Amino acid sequence: MDPFKRKTPEEILNSIHKLQQGRLKIYIGAVSGSGKTYHMLREGQALQEQGIDVVICAVSTKQRPETMEQLAGLERVPSLHWHRHGVEQKDLNLEALLLRNPEVVLVDGLAHRNRPRAEHKTRLEDIKLLLARGISVITTVNVYELEGVTEAAKKLAGISVKETVPDDTLALADEVQLVDVTPETLLQRLSDGHLRNHTELHHFKHGNLSILRELALRLVAEGVNESLEKHREELGLIGPSGAAERILVSTQYHWNGSIYVRRGQQVARRLNGDLMVVVFTKAHKKLTKEQQVFKQSMKKLVSKVGGTLEELSIVSRRELSWRLVHYALSHNVTRIVLGHSKQTRWQELWQGSLVYEILRKMKNIDVFIMADRAAQEGERILPARVAGKEKPLQEAKGVAYHRLSSHEVDEKIGRIKRGTFKVYIGAAPGVGKTYTMLREGNMLLKKGVRVEIGLLETHGRKETANQVGNLPIIPKQQIRYQARVLEEMDTEAIIASNPDVVLVDELAHTNMPGSKHKKRYEDVIELLDAGISVIATVNVQHLESLNDAVEQMTGVRVRETIPDFILRLADEVELIDVTPEALRQRMREGQIYAMEKVDQALNHFFTSGNLIALRELALRELADDVDERLEAWERRSSLRGPWRRKEVIFVCVDTSEQAERLIRRGFRIAHRLKAEWIVLHVLDSSLRHAAMDSEYRKKLEALESLTIRLGGRFEQVSLEPSRHVAAKLILMAKEAEATQLVIGQSKCSVWERLRRGSIMKTILREARHMDVLVVSRYDPHVKLEPSS
């Protein structure tokens, strides 16, 4: 909105109304027992310390010791007690609350239904009344209590509920905060007897808890995405944010239209993105009867797979590429799915190529060109199952009687001896990862577990430092470097002390020169191999494969990273979620950095847009991690469904600045598809002299190191003459049985294309039997261009 534009009377009245309204904050969790009430009461305590008038009403601690501790000092307004089927219920005492008129009310169970003949039927209506009277409310809800989720929760996890709230309830809230807990932690709480009053204990199975957890993560991520898109729209930003995937299929009302839609749906499902389908038709030209039949069929298919279909009219074919690019940018699309061109080389020269036109105009959006594998019209091109992959039941049962080799025995013994690894992950510094890690350490200490602090970074935060409690701290190692004495975690001292559990902050930290290991995560691996369990912290922006997405969102290139396999190595990964508003408020109060650094941080990394985008990225990344674990744990329960097709990803790189981006993209695709992946660099004759150059060799070594770190295979071949580079790439891809080629968007000049030919064009022409992903170059200043 233009800040200089005069507000309308309606806008002024709306602003005044909002000033008089109370604020609504909702804590959402996967299931009862996840800690929503604990976090709500803890926030109430923090608000009271700041001088805010806080009361509680209809709060149920379920006699959980840790939750009951948070009641101390909070004023209770008595609730109205009644019984339903012999079970005590608590209704809000609206009359008493309005008479008391506090600033904030803490109340449990947003989905609660009131007693018969109550003024309002539901607690949500009670809360709306309090908000209208200027009283703020903080409350709790389980994900399966939202009407849009109840059906999925019943189908996937067997949970059936009668008390629900409408789908738009979260949209009413000023803040929605997720309380994330791993299934392992919930099952441990159950084992410890802290969930003995739980009414749904029969649903406490690992698979069910994982499903509900993923539903919660994805639901909150969708809400965050809406606020991110609104924020970007206000700033005039267009195109993908980098946090979420949105797949656009461009097709026609034709027999193969359904093939394109299904392929797009498979891509969207594995990337956990939204699916959009667009069909261009000629203006002033009626559809044929055959096209109308295909249109109805496609509408049904798109609806069935959860996508959206839009029909757009164009005057001429020349308009098509511009309209498609414009549509993709304006709808924040991350990837366009097209079919390979069926034109000959001469037809491309004479008529022009739609694919080439789109690739030339595309900015910040990848183009996925789908393989033409159909030998005849209507042939299924994507097999439902891979032959020979599924073993018969009898053979699978026989595995239990298989005699282990010495290597398999050593491997299994190593896993048994290995310590347990838990990681707390957050969207940004200051969300409370270290605080939560220390709190868990103290809880374990009370149970008689030997817990020690291996490395702690409080950054001067008093609230965090106060959580150290009785936890012993292992002194740091002193390292002399360039006439200075520096300190690092003393891995050998930790192993000598041999605690049950060690707490390690900042997993992505790079150690000082002279340390045993280059990175802290390598120290952690050594501790785990020594049988010591580790609880650690990391921020989502430090994941290697997200490096490009983070730079796209924030403009900051993160230098300290950890390979993605570290998260997969962890037995548990738990998200510490905080809303951007709350995080910026902590920053203003000096709870994250020293006061002299606050303004700089708020105006750079800690802007609202950055924090919203990073939060969505963290939610989606952890949801993907949960789904990967669920698929490994209970294959049929994965929300995305199993990926049955055998894939081999082949990434082609040079030594340009885009090469690392291509490798990271190749890894993320391969990881989602459970695929083998190979990175190939071709040294052509024109660059032979560069092979002796030390800078060139360093670039090549860096690319190989990145590939290996992410779990891929790096290959290099020399070739002469240079015009045959594309042919060599295709030949090697065929030998590797590659199903998908990943290449970068060309930046060659017209003169270079005439002199050496276009590698990209040759690949697209000669590799029509493969899927080809063209990764676009990132341009932070992309704009929607008017039609020519």
Side-chain angles (χ1 to χ4, degrees):
M1 184 183 293
D2 189 339
F4 298 102
K5 185 180 177 182
R6 187 189 299 274
K7 290 183 179 179
T8 64
E10 290 80 8
E11 288 172 337
I12 293 171
L13 284 171
N14 189 44
S15 298
I16 293 171
H17 176 68
K18 284 185 176 179
L19 285 174
Q20 295 172 337
Q21 276 268 113
R23 284 178 59 82
L24 174 62
K25 179 169 183 177
I26 299 174
Y27 281 101
I28 185 170
V31 69
S32 295
S34 57
K36 303 179 298 297
T37 305
Y38 170 89
H39 281 83
M40 177 182 71
L41 293 173
R42 185 174 150 229
E43 182 169 359
Q45 294 282 2
L47 291 172
Q48 190 166 260
E49 287 174 10
Q50 296 170 25
I52 306 294
D53 185 16
V54 181
V55 301
I56 64 173
C57 187
V59 169
S60 178
T61 64
K62 304 280 180 67
Q63 301 298 308
R64 295 166 190 158
E66 199 178 16
T67 306
M68 290 176 68
E69 287 175 11
Q70 296 299 318
L71 289 171
L74 289 173
E75 179 185 343
R76 185 192 294 270
V77 172
S79 52
L80 301 174
H81 293 243
W82 60 286
H83 286 79
R84 179 193 290 142
H85 307 306
V87 180
E88 187 182 52
Q89 307 288 324
K90 297 178 182 179
D91 286 0
L92 287 178
N93 191 336
L94 284 178
E95 187 177 343
L97 285 169
L98 292 172
L99 185 64
R100 173 63 177 75
N101 194 30
E103 290 179 272
V104 181
V105 173
L106 310 183
V107 55
D108 255 331
L110 181 59
H112 171 78
R113 292 196 176 277
N114 292 333
R115 65 200 182 282
R117 296 183 296 280
E119 183 181 352
H120 299 130
K121 289 184 178 180
T122 66
R123 180 156 295 167
L124 179 59
E125 292 174 272
D126 289 342
I127 287 173
K128 286 180 179 178
L129 175 64
L130 294 173
L131 295 172
R133 298 294 180 89
I135 298 172
S136 294
V137 177
I138 304 177
T139 186
T140 65
V141 73
N142 292 313
V143 68
Y144 51 78
E145 292 169 336
L146 294 165
E147 286 178 357
V149 183
T150 51
E151 187 177 342
K154 184 177 182 180
K155 181 181 177 182
L156 297 169
I159 283 191
S160 182
V161 289
K162 293 180 180 178
E163 296 187 340
T164 60
V165 290
D167 279 344
D168 62 354
T169 302
L170 296 187
L172 299 174
D174 299 277
E175 285 184 65
V176 177
Q177 186 167 325
L178 175 70
V179 180
D180 181 48
V181 179
T182 65
E184 291 81 5
T185 298
L186 280 167
L187 292 169
Q188 185 60 50
R189 288 179 185 175
L190 180 64
S191 176
D192 292 342
H194 293 163
L195 305 181
R196 56 184 177 275
N197 294 326
H198 202 288
T199 57
E200 295 152 355
L201 292 181
H202 59 289
H203 296 300
F204 263 58
K205 298 176 183 176
H206 193 285
N208 289 347
L209 295 174
S210 294
I211 289 167
L212 293 170
R213 185 187 181 200
E214 185 177 351
L215 287 171
L217 285 160
R218 297 207 184 284
L219 182 74
V220 176
E222 287 301 319
V224 175
N225 179 258
E226 288 175 15
S227 62
L228 177 60
E229 291 196 354
K230 183 180 178 183
H231 181 82
R232 286 171 60 83
E233 191 178 320
E234 289 171 355
L235 295 177
L237 299 172
I238 63 165
S241 67
E245 293 279 357
R246 191 165 288 177
I247 312 303
L248 175 65
V249 176
S250 176
T251 187
Q252 298 174 306
Y253 297 135
H254 190 255
W255 67 266
N256 62 2
S258 62
I259 295 175
Y260 286 77
V261 172
R262 286 197 178 279
R263 184 59 165 147
Q265 184 247 348
Q266 285 185 322
V267 173
R269 185 180 63 185
R270 295 311 294 181
L271 297 178
N272 286 306
D274 297 326
L275 175 67
M276 305 166 68
V277 180
V278 64
V279 179
F280 291 96
T281 59
K282 285 283 186 72
H284 313 301
K285 187 176 180 181
K286 288 186 177 180
L287 297 177
T288 65
K289 287 184 177 180
E290 187 181 44
Q291 286 175 324
Q292 288 174 354
V293 171
F294 284 129
K295 179 178 178 178
Q296 294 304 315
S297 175
M298 193 176 293
K299 273 186 174 180
K300 290 179 182 177
L301 175 60
V302 173
S303 176
K304 182 180 178 181
V305 300
T308 60
L309 175 66
E310 192 165 353
E311 183 181 298
L312 300 175
S313 62
I314 54 173
V315 176
S316 67
R317 183 188 173 283
R318 289 185 177 182
E319 186 187 351
L320 181 55
S321 62
W322 176 83
R323 287 291 301 277
L324 182 59
V325 171
H326 189 281
Y327 185 90
L329 284 170
S330 60
H331 287 78
N332 301 327
V333 167
T334 58
R335 187 174 300 191
I336 295 177
V337 176
L338 299 166
H340 271 286
S341 170
K342 291 181 171 59
Q343 294 171 304
T344 65
R345 188 170 186 173
W346 295 112
Q347 285 175 321
E348 288 173 358
L349 289 169
W350 181 253
Q351 300 172 1
S353 166
L354 174 64
V355 172
Y356 298 160
E357 287 174 21
I358 290 169
L359 289 171
R360 191 167 60 249
K361 295 175 181 177
M362 193 56 65
K363 294 178 180 178
N364 300 352
I365 300 173
D366 298 342
V367 180
F368 183 88
I369 302 152
M370 197 179 95
D372 180 10
R373 297 193 186 90
Q376 57 187 21
E377 292 190 357
E379 181 182 338
R380 177 191 287 270
I381 63 164
L382 297 173
R385 294 176 182 270
V386 177
K389 272 287 182 181
E390 302 265 332
K391 292 185 178 180
L393 185 62
Q394 291 84 355
E395 189 179 338
K397 283 180 179 178
V399 171
Y401 298 96
H402 165 66
R403 180 177 292 161
L404 299 176
S405 68
S406 58
H407 174 72
E408 289 172 326
V409 169
D410 291 341
E411 198 175 76
K412 285 183 178 288
I413 290 172
R415 285 202 295 268
I416 292 167
K417 288 182 176 179
R418 182 178 166 272
T420 301
F421 186 26
K422 181 171 184 175
V423 176
Y424 283 107
I425 191 169
V431 297
K433 303 179 300 297
T434 305
Y435 178 97
T436 309
M437 177 181 72
L438 292 170
R439 195 181 109 222
E440 182 170 2
N442 275 296
M443 287 168 57
L444 292 170
L445 201 64
K446 289 178 182 176
K447 293 179 182 179
V449 179
R450 274 195 65 212
V451 185
E452 295 179 357
I453 297 174
L455 196 289
L456 176 64
E457 296 286 359
T458 65
H459 298 287
R461 298 165 194 160
K462 292 181 181 177
E463 192 179 20
T464 303
N466 291 339
Q467 282 297 308
V468 172
N470 297 319
L471 291 168
I473 301 175
I474 296 175
K476 295 178 183 177
Q477 180 186 12
Q478 306 286 315
I479 298 175
R480 185 170 294 279
Y481 179 69
Q482 294 183 351
R484 295 171 60 195
V485 176
L486 305 172
E487 293 185 327
E488 287 292 357
M489 184 172 77
D490 196 335
T491 306
E492 291 183 3
I494 295 171
I495 292 173
S497 179
N498 196 30
D500 296 321
V501 181
V502 66
L503 311 183
V504 179
D505 233 344
E506 299 187 355
L507 199 54
H509 171 78
T510 302
N511 292 333
M512 296 297 173
S515 302
K516 183 178 180 181
H517 298 294
K518 186 179 178 181
K519 301 286 291 188
R520 186 166 291 162
Y521 72 78
E522 294 174 306
D523 292 316
V524 165
I525 292 172
E526 185 178 350
L527 294 174
L528 293 169
D529 288 341
I532 299 171
S533 294
V534 178
I535 303 176
T537 67
V538 75
N539 289 320
V540 71
Q541 66 264 29
H542 293 296
L543 280 177
E544 178 67 60
S545 71
L546 296 177
N547 205 259
D548 304 306
V550 171
E551 184 180 24
Q552 180 178 334
M553 288 184 292
T554 66
V556 176
R557 171 65 73 176
V558 177
R559 299 298 173 190
E560 291 191 320
T561 61
I562 61 169
D564 291 53
F565 81 81
I566 293 298
L567 278 199
R568 298 199 298 276
L569 184 68
D571 300 279
E572 295 181 63
V573 182
E574 191 165 302
L575 176 71
I576 305 300
D577 183 44
V578 173
T579 62
E581 298 87 350
L583 199 56
R584 282 174 61 83
Q585 184 59 37
R586 288 183 189 179
M587 179 66 77
R588 292 187 195 98
E589 293 168 357
Q591 293 183 32
I592 300 176
Y593 295 146
M595 291 304 293
E596 60 269 18
K597 296 181 180 178
V598 167
D599 288 339
Q600 182 184 7
L602 288 173
N603 293 321
H604 289 82
F605 191 80
F606 278 76
T607 62
S608 292
N610 285 356
L611 294 178
I612 295 170
L614 287 168
R615 186 186 181 206
E616 182 182 355
L617 192 67
L619 286 160
R620 291 187 184 278
E621 190 64 21
L622 191 56
D624 289 347
D625 180 77
V626 171
D627 200 275
E628 293 289 339
R629 291 169 190 271
L630 184 58
E631 192 169 358
W633 181 276
E634 211 170 324
R635 187 178 177 90
R636 293 177 186 174
S637 297
S638 168
L639 270 65
R640 295 176 299 173
W643 183 260
R644 299 188 184 279
R645 181 179 167 204
K646 185 179 183 296
E647 293 266 13
V648 178
I649 312 301
F650 206 79
V651 186
C652 310
V653 299
D654 52 18
T655 54
S656 68
E657 58 186 20
Q658 193 187 18
E660 288 192 0
R661 189 160 180 254
L662 287 170
I663 292 171
R664 293 189 188 99
R665 190 63 56 86
F667 160 74
R668 289 189 70 78
I669 294 166
H671 178 56
R672 295 290 177 259
L673 302 184
K674 310 277 191 298
E676 178 188 352
W677 63 292
I678 302 159
V679 176
L680 177 69
H681 172 74
V682 176
L683 176 64
D684 68 47
S685 58
S686 63
L687 297 175
R688 183 64 58 82
H689 66 280
M692 304 305 294
D693 184 75
S694 60
E695 186 178 341
Y696 175 84
R697 286 202 304 272
K698 282 181 182 177
K699 285 182 180 178
L700 213 55
E701 287 169 4
L703 295 179
E704 183 173 7
S705 174
L706 176 61
T707 303
I708 293 169
R709 200 160 63 242
L710 289 172
R713 191 168 89 234
F714 188 86
E715 294 184 1
Q716 179 188 349
V717 294
S718 297
L719 184 66
E720 186 175 353
S722 59
R723 280 183 175 272
H724 296 161
V725 170
K728 183 67 173 179
L729 288 172
I730 294 168
L731 178 63
M732 294 194 70
K734 284 181 178 177
E735 289 175 353
E737 298 183 347
T739 54
Q740 187 173 151
L741 276 174
V742 179
I743 60 176
Q745 190 174 23
S746 175
K747 65 171 184 178
C748 291
S749 64
V750 175
W751 169 245
E752 285 178 309
R753 287 199 296 271
L754 288 172
R755 186 171 67 88
R756 301 172 55 194
S758 170
I759 293 175
M760 184 181 73
K761 282 189 175 182
T762 306
I763 287 174
L764 291 178
R765 192 183 307 114
E766 302 299 329
R768 288 176 179 171
H769 59 290
M770 298 182 196
D771 293 333
V772 179
L773 177 67
V774 183
V775 178
S776 65
R777 292 182 176 277
Y778 176 63
D779 179 3
H781 308 295
V782 64
K783 293 180 181 178
L784 279 176
E785 297 176 4
S787 177
S788 54

